[in-house]
Structure formats: structure tokens, C-alpha cells
Amino acid sequence: MTRKRSLDLMRTVLLSALSALLVVPLIILFVSSLKGTRQEILADAGSFKAFLVPHPTLSNYADILGPKSMTPFLKYMANSALVLSGTVVLTLLVSSMAAFVLLRGRFAGRKLLLGIITALYIIPNETIMLPMLYESLALGITDTYWVQILPFVASPLFIFLFHQFFSQVPSSIGEAALIDGAGPARIFRMIYLPLNGPALATVAILQGMAMWNQYLWPLLSTNTDDFRPITVAIASFFGSDTILWNLAMAGSVMMMLPILFFFLTFQRFFIASVSSTAVKG
Amino acid sequence: MKTMKRSRITLTEAAMLTPALVLLLAFLVVPFAMSIGLAFTNQPLLPGPIPTKFVGFRNFQRILGSIEFWHAFLNVLLFSAMVIPLQCGFALLSAILLNGQSKAKRFFQAVFFLPYITPMVVVCVVWSTLFQYPSGILNALFSALSFGLFEPVQWLHDPRTALPAITMLSAWQAYGFQMVIYMAGLQNISADLYEAAAIDGASGWSRFTKVTWPSLFETNVFILIITAIQALQLFTQVNILTQGGPQDATNTLVHYIYRSGFVIQKVGFASAGSLILFLLIVGVYALLSFLTRKNPVGENS
Amino acid sequence: MKKALFLALGLAVLALSGVPAQGKITVMFQATGAESDAFKTLFDRFTKDTGIKVEPMFIPHDTYFEKFSAAVASKRVADVMQLDAPFLANFVWNGYLSPLQGMIDQKILDDLTPSSVYQGTYPIDGRLYALGNNDSTVLLYGSRKLLKAAGIRIPTGIKDAWTKAEFNDALAKLAKQPGVKWPLDIFRAYGVKTEWATYAFQPIFESFGGKLIDPKSWKAKGALDSPESVAAATEIQSWVKKDWVVPASSGTNALFRDKDKAAIAWGGHWVWAEAYPVMKDDLVAMPLPNFGKGVKSPNGTWIWAITKSSRNPKAAAKFLEYLAKDKQLIKESPGTFPGMKSAAALTPIYTDPKLMKVAFDQSNVAVPRPVYPGYPVLTASFQVAFDNILSGADPKTELGKAAAAIDQDGADNDGYPPFGE
């Protein structure tokens, strides 16, 4: 075997072994979702029976999606999907533009501004939830999709991330374009964006994840089923002293599927853009 | 050739920057300012007969004088020291192993990303069964691997092991975040650099130290700072699994604030805590930024 | 002609839409799984029978107070709201609830068990502010076989409940019994800082003659750290120290699982529904022990109230009456602990002496958690102290610290007038 082939084989073996270890908790999750009652799940919990299901059933899934359920699961999923899409699209646009200007703009105070914006990332979410709510009430946007989208579009995290990735594009390219008469918007659109497919994919995935898992804010800012997200449905399975394990497991599996699909969609953008070789020299 | 710096911003630049600034102002700065205002009052969670009044620095004094607060601060520092190497190290390893677009690689990428997709509530619930005493899977595994030398441990309820247990769980759940960023970062390393290294006869480990690691500088700075900030804000897992116990071993700053605001219902007090937390993290952030600054000559420090 | 018709139609529509929603109420509540499904059908039945529409505001249990606070801030408080019984004083003192006398049929109010009445009454004016058609209790569960094998007498009712000595003796015997890993499960696995601690163990303090807070001066110092209270805490700590108690990392089904079993469980009435299918007739329900001052048991559940800001209090009251009289709700959740005397007949397990009658009898000796506006701080401080004590800390010190925190909160609120006056 060639050196490369044996390295590849080793790599595959290693990856398989790691994968097996990593997904142990998820196997338990999936297997539990097929167990009909929560007593069954609890009884198997502390041992290796957690991996086995003697009588698999889809009853939990049926119960959650059924009409008798208090929380309209699919509607909530649709709401989450809508909010996710809106936020991701706007975030990609707004945050990348801002990062670009902060990096390659030519006005004084850019570094300071970037520093301040990054420092804003430190503000813990829980702190500002109630003031944000009062503000949203004043603006009249509660109980809408917008109230769930807007607060997260300009994200210090992603502005900072774009900044770091954009800074790896040498300024010489942009300056060459400038000499040719291109304005900053053009340089951004024609040069920086295409060169940063991976960064865009990263932000899309991470922001998507963050929005899919939003819980406290949508709960506070919306009141009706029309706008509530999927996380509320999952939370409804966790009571004061009893957890409806079977429904919680099945609900979680269903909640994970769309986002997995989302990830798979953006995977293909993790390729180096062809022109990165044009960067050198 | 460096272009001249101007002090005024152009219209286009302003147009590209404004949406972000407006939103940041509206949804971060303004609420935070309101919260700072509340920090000097005795505002309760539910408005009631006692009028909200200005109490000066009383909230701050109580917080800074409370052992619970400082213990929580120590805990998050400890947690950060443990989780950053574990989580980021594993994320980098994964990103390197998974670098590529082959079908096999893409399959494994998706598998490796699964933990991050799992909602934290569910992660906690499932891991709590792994942590069971005395015959939970983790105890059984360690016992088997050590041929019976290992005594089962009450992972989440022994003050010595609770924080490490939370660390393991957190690293497992969240390494996907850093992994994805590293994957993008690796993509930006030009193939030419690797060719040049190969020509020089480098292979394996020295490829990593001479090409990969230095090229990841900006990415690493980002990951270090962001992971540190996230680690210092540890909350959800603790809230679900240990509520700060046992005996404050897993109490965190955000948990302390959350309990003050939403359980003990003192919003003013919680706001003061948030402000202190903010300043503490800004301190850490400034320190990290300073330590990772690039040398003016352009070489990595 | 057509124009006139359209005009008339238009005016009619306008007129009808201007009629106030006389038949509409919002109901804020929390529930889990089957319970929430049962509520959904309840709402539908209510609308069918009375014509009043219900707009449900469902809120997951863990964020109930945050959401209520948000509702207050947005001035969208519901007409009917659920609340956890011990927080009643807090809500009434803050001015959110309306008294029920005069709004609800007196026959219904008379049907409430003494425990239910206790929970819903505000001590300052003695009026009822909330009611519930269900309640709760905590009792001892055991395995008949194991108890017999260890030679332990099984109490049949409150009158012959175990004394402190008998209880300790039973635990010591069970610890040596084969097949028993821990004699006692006090459900530490529910969590370190949850309402369970205050809920399930406050009655022990009372049974020792102690109290969490003085009901006249509303000071915790002198009550929570009194010798009797410290004795209660020390007693509970001794069980943990002797390794008799199921650890927190060992799950909540120790009573009826296959390995690492517990012989006796100190659990809520809801444990019955989990344990009975597995243990069947081997399961026995027993009263809590009498530690000196009699058997005392916990009570309290989520009860229903009408908000002061409700614009439709008459419809809200109708809903509460309907809820109280509704038999189907109880039938749909068979493990529910009745809060009304007439409901007991519908829940056969609570009238059968071989099953859970003992549990229902305990509602006659139920002691509510302190009805005090400062309850949120009280319970939070107690939970921390309790957990530290179970972990081995000195009871007197911990209870003293908790008492100081509670009294500090009282001082911060000027004593919650008129309570502290």
C-alpha cells in the first residue's frame, strides 16, 4: 500500500472510532425515542439497556404530531424555520458589510469601533432580556416574526468573525481595484465575498444553530401559537417533577432533523475558493 | 503601498456600516444602558406596592462582598482553563482530520457536527443518565478500563467531580462550533504553502507547526477570545443539571445573576451583577487581546 | 336598491364587530404532556357549554414567572391565571388577584378540602383568592414483602404512624436487608435547588415543633434556627450520614427498578402512578412519620385565580366554577389528588384503604408552606441551606445563614406591610 493509502486508512479508522464514541449519547437519545413509555426509558437508563429497544414504536412521534396535542409541533417548526431563514440572510448581509468597512474603510476610529463592537458580545443575553422586551413593546413589534429576528441580525460575534477572515485577504487586491476606479461596495461584492465562501457558510450554520435554539427571548416576546418557536414545544415536555422522557426524546429527534439538513446544505461551501492561489505572489 | 488615511467616512462606507450600528444600538446598547440604570435601584421582578427607588451602590456592595459571587467567579475561571484546551483542541484535531470534500469526509463532518445540533436541554438529560451512580455508563466504562480499580463516582453531585463533569459535557456539545470555524480557517491556507513545505522535505508534524498553525493565527485569536467569553458565561447546563451545586461547586456568574433576577426576583440586584460580570469579562478580553496582538513588524508573536 | 342593501349589510357588520367580546377570556397556565392535552379538551368543553371563548396562554413550567413578569410589563395579563400555591401571598400582596367570595358559587367553596382552603387564603384579610380542583401530598411508599421480611410493622393510618424511633429502627433494619441498596429514597435526584426541598420537608420541621418563619412577627431568625428546627435538620442529615439515602446521582425510580433498589420512598402522590404498574399489590402507602408533634404533611399545587386587571371577571369566575365542577378532567388523569371533597369519590384509589386512602387522609393534617409575600426568597434560601446540610454542613450555621437572608429580604421590603407590622 502506498503511504498515502495507508494514511487514509488510518485516518478512516480513527474517524470511525471517534465517531462511534461521540455519538453514544445520541444513540441513547434515538433509541429512547422509540420506547413507548417514560417508565421504560427510566428503567433502562442506568445500564447498557439504554442502547437496546426490544419493542420499538413510533407512538411518541404520533402523539406529538397528533391533533390532541396542546402544542402544534409542526406550526412551531415552521415558525422557527422562518425566523431562522430571515435572520441568517440578514446576518450574512449586514454583518459582513459592517466587518468589511471596519477592516478596509479609510476613516479614523475604525479599530476603536471594532473593539467596542466586539466588547458588546460580552453583554450576557439574560441581562438585557427584560429591557429589550420593554423596548419592543414601545416599538410595537411584539408577537411578530420581526421581534425574533431583528435583535440578532447585527451580531458582534459574526462581525468579528468576518473581520478575521476578511483580514486574510491581502489589502493589495483591494487597492488594485481601487486604482481601477472601483468603489468599496464593488470591491466588497466582487472580491471579498466570493473569496470567503467558507466564512459565509460558517456564519450561516452558526447563526442558524443559534436561532433554532432560541428559547427565552421568543417566549417572552410572543404570546400566541402563530409565532412561537419549536423550543417552546420541547420545553412543554419538562414539567415540575416529571419529565415526559419519551415525548422529549422524540421531540428532540424531530427538532434536530431540519437543522441537520441545513448543515448538509451548506457543507459544500467549505471548499477553498479557486482564487485563493491568486492571492499569493 | 499604503493608501492615505482619511478622517471622514464616505457615503458608501456609511451606508454599509449603518444597518449594523443601528441594530446594535437598538438591541444591545440601549437595553444594556437601561440595565445599568436598574443596577442602582431596588427594582423587583414584579411591580408591586413598594416603589422602586434609587439605592446607590448598595447592590454592588452586596455582590462584591458575597462569597458566593467570588466562588462563582473562581468556578468560571477554572472551567475556562479546562474547557478551552479540551474543546478547541479537539475541534482543531477534527477539522484537520475532516478537511476535504470527499464523500467520506463529508459524511464524517456531519456526524462530528451532530452533538452541536442537539438541543442543550436534551444533551443534559441524556448525559445525566451517563453520569448515573453507581452503574451509569461512564462509571461502568472507567471501571472496565481500569480493571476494577476505579471506584464509581457521583459525577454531578460530588463537589470534586461536578465541574469536570460539566466540562466534559460542554466540550462534547459545543466543539462543533470551533470545528466549523477551524474548517473555514483551514480552507484559507493556500495550497502553495504546503507545496513549498513539501519541497523543503517537511512532513506530518512539521507541516503542522510550520504551515498550518502559523496560518491559523487570526482564526486562533478569534477562537480563543470567543471561547473564553462563552466559557465565562456558562449557564444553561448548570441551571438544568446542578443549579450551582453541590455546595456551590458549579455555581457560575450568570447563574448567580439569573437566580437573583428570576428566582429571588430582584431585577435591580441582578442588573448590578450583570454590570460587574460585563466589566470582569471586558478585563479578560482586554488581557487576551493584548497577549495576542500582532507584532508591528508583521510577524506572529 | 342594491346600494342600500350593501349599506345595511355594512352597517350590520360594523355593529356586530362593535359588540364587546362578552364571551372571551384568556387563561394563563402551565402543564405537561397529558395534563396539557386534558386542559385543551376542557377549554373546548367549556366553550361548548357556556359560549364563552377561551384563549389559552400556555407557558412552560420553567419560565412561568419570567413570562408573567413580561405579561405585566406588556399589560397583557390574562383573566384567569394559574399559580403555584405558596406564591399566593406574593401575588396578592403585589396586587394582582381578586378575592373569590361573591364571585364563585358558595357551594363550590364549601366543597374544598381544608387543605385547599388553606392554600388559597390570604391571612391578612382571611379571604380566598384561589382554588384548585386538585391538590397534592407526600407520603411514604414501601414494599410489603421487604417490610415483612425485615420484621417491620406497617402503619395503617395517621393514628398509628411510625414514631421517630420506629422510623429509624425500620431504616436500620432495612439497611441490612438483602436486595436493598438504600433504605430510603428522598428523591434528591429531583435537583439541588428545587421547590421539592421546601415542599417535602417543611412538615418534618413542623412535626418536630419547629417552623420556617414566625407567623406573627414574620422573622425567620428564632424560627428557622430554633432548637426544634435544628433538630429536624440534624435528624434528616443523620439519615444521609448513615448512608441510608439514595444519592442524587442515582435516579428517581429506586423504589421499583431492578437493581440498586430503595426500600422506602418519601415521595409525592404522583409516584403511585409510576410505581403501581411495576409493583402492583406489593406497593403499600404509609403516612409520614410522627416526629413528636403529630403527623404533618405537605400540600400545595398549581391553583387558579382571577386577576385584578381582568376585564371580564364574571366570565373568569364562570370558568373557575366550571373547572371546579368538572368531573371529566379528573377522570382523564387518574392519579390526580383530589382538592375537593366531592372529587374524592371519583378517584377510587384515594378511597380504598388498600391503596391510597392514607394519602387522602393526610390532607386533614396538611401544613401549607408559609403564606408570606417574601416566599420566593424564603424558599430559595431554604433550598440552599437544606442541600448544604444534606452534604454535611452544620445545620445550625446553615439555617442561621438562611434566616439572615430571609430577614434581610423582609427588611428590604419594609417588612412587606402589613405582614411585618
Side-chain angles (χ1 to χ4, degrees), chain C residues 241-276:
Chain C
K241 279 197 168 140
K242 294 189 200 147
D243 225 8
W244 285 348
V245 175
V246 175
S249 283
S250 303
T252 58
N253 57 347
L255 182 67
F256 50 90
R257 62 185 176 209
D258 291 332
K259 47 188 269 209
D260 302 331
K261 280 173 93 85
I264 296 181
W266 185 297
H269 68 275
W270 55 86
V271 174
W272 179 269
E274 314 242 326
Y276 190 75

Side-chain angles (χ1 to χ4, degrees), chain A residues 38 68 215 219 222-223 228, chain C residues 33 37 58 62-63 67 274:
Chain A
R38 75 174 189 278
K68 265 182 45 186
Y215 176 53
L219 189 65
T222 63
N223 285 315
R228 279 189 160 176
Chain C
D37 293 344
F58 166 73
D62 62 346
T63 45
K67 187 58 186 175
E274 314 242 326

Side-chain angles (χ1 to χ4, degrees), chain C residues 46-329:
Chain C
F46 177 69
T47 306
K48 210 161 67 92
D49 289 346
T50 62
I52 303 176
K53 287 178 62 177
V54 174
E55 191 188 293
M57 258 174 85
F58 166 73
I59 299 169
H61 170 265
D62 62 346
T63 45
Y64 203 73
F65 285 112
E66 290 93 309
K67 187 58 186 175
F68 180 68
S69 160
V72 170
S74 51
K75 303 209 197 327
R76 288 193 55 174
V77 182
D79 297 289
V80 173
M81 71 176 284
Q82 248 195 340
L83 58 136
D84 198 6
F87 291 86
L88 179 83
N90 187 296
F91 280 95
V92 175
W93 183 81
N94 276 310
Y96 293 121
L97 305 180
S98 295
L100 296 182
Q101 265 100 355
M103 301 193 69
I104 304 268
D105 191 354
Q106 189 61 34
K107 280 210 296 289
I108 293 181
L109 299 182
D110 290 336
D111 191 22
L112 294 170
T113 60
S115 164
S116 291
V117 172
Y118 248 137
Q119 290 171 51
T121 306
Y122 188 58
I124 299 294
D125 58 7
R127 292 153 93 185
L128 193 73
Y129 282 84
L131 59 79
N133 65 345
N134 68 332
D135 197 352
S136 73
T137 192
V138 170
L139 58 149
L140 295 181
Y141 297 91
S143 151
R144 287 187 212 268
K145 280 204 296 272
L146 282 174
L147 291 171
K148 221 162 164 222
I152 300 170
R153 168 186 82 84
I154 296 180
T156 54
I158 295 178
K159 293 213 176 61
D160 64 344
W162 285 327
T163 61
K164 180 166 86 144
E166 278 182 302
F167 186 58
N168 276 284
D169 183 60
L171 292 178
K173 287 205 175 96
L174 287 166
K176 304 204 200 77
Q177 196 68 11
V180 174
K181 178 115 177 142
W182 299 282
L184 181 65
D185 186 1
I186 59 174
F187 294 93
R188 292 191 70 182
Y190 279 153
V192 166
K193 290 179 189 159
T194 66
E195 191 59 24
W196 172 249
T198 321
Y199 169 66
F201 297 102
Q202 188 225 213
I204 305 193
F205 281 65
E206 297 267 342
S207 188
F208 268 82
K211 282 200 163 345
L212 297 193
I213 191 168
D214 184 303
K216 296 229 170 38
S217 67
W218 297 106
K219 292 269 189 308
K221 200 134 194 68
L224 186 56
D225 53 353
S226 67
E228 293 86 4
S229 295
V230 173
T234 314
E235 170 72 11
I236 303 175
Q237 185 188 58
S238 73
W239 304 334
V240 179
K241 279 197 168 140
K242 294 189 200 147
D243 225 8
W244 285 348
V245 175
V246 175
S249 283
S250 303
T252 58
N253 57 347
L255 182 67
F256 50 90
R257 62 185 176 209
D258 291 332
K259 47 188 269 209
D260 302 331
K261 280 173 93 85
I264 296 181
W266 185 297
H269 68 275
W270 55 86
V271 174
W272 179 269
E274 314 242 326
Y276 190 75
V278 180
M279 295 174 69
K280 304 265 182 355
D281 285 328
D282 188 36
L283 181 65
V284 62
M286 302 173 286
L288 293 179
N290 172 354
F291 290 97
K293 296 279 192 287
V295 174
K296 308 267 185 233
S297 67
N299 70 353
T301 184
W302 287 76
I303 49 183
W304 301 82
I306 302 174
T307 59
K308 221 184 214 161
S309 55
S310 166
R311 289 204 203 105
N312 212 344
K314 289 225 176 67
K318 270 222 173 63
F319 178 76
L320 285 192
E321 286 179 345
Y322 192 85
L323 176 77
K325 289 193 293 207
D326 187 73
K327 309 294 180 224
Q328 190 151 342
L329 193 63

Side-chain angles (χ1 to χ4, degrees), chain B residues 190-214:
Chain B
S190 154
D192 296 353
L193 290 173
Y194 284 116
E195 271 175 41
I199 289 173
D200 284 347
S203 64
W205 178 248
S206 54
R207 262 166 57 116
F208 178 73
T209 49
K210 292 214 159 54
V211 178
T212 316
W213 184 255

Side-chain angles (χ1 to χ4, degrees), chain A residues 117-131:
Chain A
I117 290 179
T118 313
L120 288 179
Y121 179 62
I122 298 174
I123 300 176
N125 235 347
E126 293 80 12
T127 320
I128 49 174
M129 254 184 208
L130 284 179

Side-chain angles (χ1 to χ4, degrees), chain B residues 1-189:
Chain B
M1 150 197 132
K2 267 218 165 302
T3 335
M4 246 188 345
K5 269 210 179 121
R6 286 183 281 105
S7 56
R8 300 236 347 255
I9 190 171
T10 67
L11 199 59
T12 329
E13 287 170 344
M16 289 172 79
L17 189 56
T18 309
L21 287 184
V22 164
L23 287 170
L24 286 174
L25 213 75
F27 292 105
L28 271 182
V29 176
V30 166
F32 191 51
M34 284 170 71
S35 165
I36 294 179
L38 284 175
F40 294 93
T41 70
N42 64 346
Q43 171 94 343
L45 183 64
L46 302 176
I50 306 250
T52 304
K53 58 182 200 282
F54 182 73
V55 294
F57 285 93
R58 186 180 79 186
N59 290 331
F60 295 95
Q61 284 168 332
R62 286 206 191 154
I63 294 174
L64 293 173
S66 114
I67 300 182
E68 192 189 340
F69 176 79
W70 291 109
H71 193 171
F73 185 43
L74 189 66
N75 284 342
V76 290
L77 286 178
L78 216 63
F79 174 73
S80 306
M82 289 192 290
V83 91
I84 292 177
L86 182 63
Q87 188 169 323
C88 300
F90 187 70
L92 180 56
L93 175 70
S94 308
I96 291 177
L97 285 174
L98 297 170
N99 198 7
Q101 281 292 307
S102 68
K103 269 223 168 103
K105 292 241 173 84
R106 282 169 70 165
F107 168 74
F108 281 115
Q109 281 170 9
V111 171
F112 270 59
F113 197 63
L114 281 175
Y116 193 61
I117 295 178
T118 322
M120 183 54 93
V121 172
V122 175
V123 170
C124 289
V125 147
V126 173
W127 271 76
S128 67
T129 67
L130 297 182
F131 282 133
Q132 272 209 358
Y133 169 88
S135 12
I137 294 178
L138 222 65
N139 274 328
L141 188 69
F142 278 105
S143 229
L145 288 178
S146 67
F147 300 108
L149 285 175
F150 178 80
E151 288 285 327
V153 167
Q154 289 194 53
W155 290 98
L156 289 174
H157 293 99
D158 182 329
R160 296 162 302 175
T161 56
L163 203 57
I166 299 265
T167 307
M168 278 195 286
L169 184 158
S170 308
W172 179 88
Q173 199 275 338
Y175 77 83
F177 178 84
Q178 284 81 356
M179 180 183 90
V180 149
I181 296 175
Y182 271 129
M183 274 166 64
L186 288 174
Q187 287 304 314
N188 275 358
I189 303 178

